[in-house]
Amino acid sequence: MNKTPQQMHAHMRGQGMVEYMLITSVVALVLFLPFDGGPSPSELLAVAFRNFFRGFSFFVSVL
């Protein structure tokens, strides 16, 4: 059975969706699961942003 180019294109599009979902799931797990009992990377990132903007707002208030 030979597939038409349209059928092959649809199959490739489906494979891309599976790869996208797999990569997105892995990135979400890495960002939101804590390692070694400490805070998760997303929590560390939130704390870093909070500290930066706390310092930035102080700097702006001094000016």
Side-chain angles (χ1 to χ4, degrees):
M1 280 201 216
N2 292 334
K3 292 186 177 183
T4 65
Q6 290 84 10
Q7 289 172 330
M8 291 178 67
H9 182 67
H11 178 70
M12 285 189 274
R13 244 184 3 190
Q15 180 182 355
M17 181 62 75
V18 170
E19 291 173 4
Y20 175 77
M21 290 301 297
L22 180 66
I23 291 171
T24 303
S25 300
V26 168
V27 168
L29 285 174
V30 166
L31 282 177
F32 294 107
L33 289 180
F35 295 103
D36 299 329
S40 68
S42 61
E43 289 178 74
L44 293 173
L45 186 62
V47 168
F49 274 121
R50 189 176 3 190
N51 290 339
F52 171 77
F53 282 108
R54 186 178 296 149
F56 180 73
S57 64
F58 174 75
F59 175 72
V60 169
S61 70
V62 171
L63 292 178

